Amino acid sequence: MAPTDVAELLSVTNVATIEAYDGKRYQVRFRMPEHKQTKRRGFRTKRDAEQFAAAVEVQKYRGEFIAHRAGQVTIGELGPDWLTRQSAHLKPSSLLALKVG
């Protein structure tokens, strides 16, 4: 039988840990679907941290969880496409400076 609400889901999985740090902020430690532990810091209230933890658990349960780092792209990956788009509105001399530099 599958859990139907967030509270029931969290009581079954119970994988997120919420801790205070620096006396003013909270962090959430949780496991990603690959079972690697990670954390997210900077929550102002414990309630915000709990809501984040609940949202992560629901996303994992539904198969919708995407790790934050998976969405990061390097400049090297973005550069060639950006340079191609610049050729539409830059003078050839300006474009040459971008390609060389």
Side-chain angles (χ1 to χ4, degrees):
M1 184 164 98
T4 56
D5 66 351
V6 174
E8 189 177 345
L9 177 65
L10 287 177
S11 68
V12 171
T13 58
N14 196 20
V15 294
T17 303
I18 299 168
E19 304 171 323
Y21 73 97
D22 289 340
K24 297 179 183 179
R25 302 284 183 178
Y26 290 89
Q27 73 178 6
V28 178
R29 287 188 298 135
F30 60 96
R31 294 202 178 272
M32 296 190 300
E34 305 84 37
H35 304 290
K36 180 180 175 187
Q37 185 173 332
T38 188
K39 66 183 172 184
R40 174 102 184 258
R41 300 171 36 137
F43 297 99
R44 291 179 185 233
T45 65
K46 187 173 183 179
R47 182 176 180 180
D48 290 343
E50 289 170 344
Q51 288 176 342
F52 172 79
V56 167
E57 291 305 314
V58 169
Q59 289 171 355
K60 288 186 338 186
Y61 179 74
R62 292 181 178 164
E64 300 169 350
F65 181 80
I66 299 173
H68 175 71
R69 296 212 181 253
Q72 293 178 338
V73 181
T74 65
I75 295 296
E77 294 170 330
L78 291 176
D81 290 337
W82 177 83
L83 196 56
T84 302
R85 288 191 307 271
Q86 300 311 306
S87 65
H89 64 83
L90 289 178
K91 294 182 199 177
S93 59
S94 297
L95 192 59
L96 182 62
L98 290 174
K99 289 181 180 180
V100 173

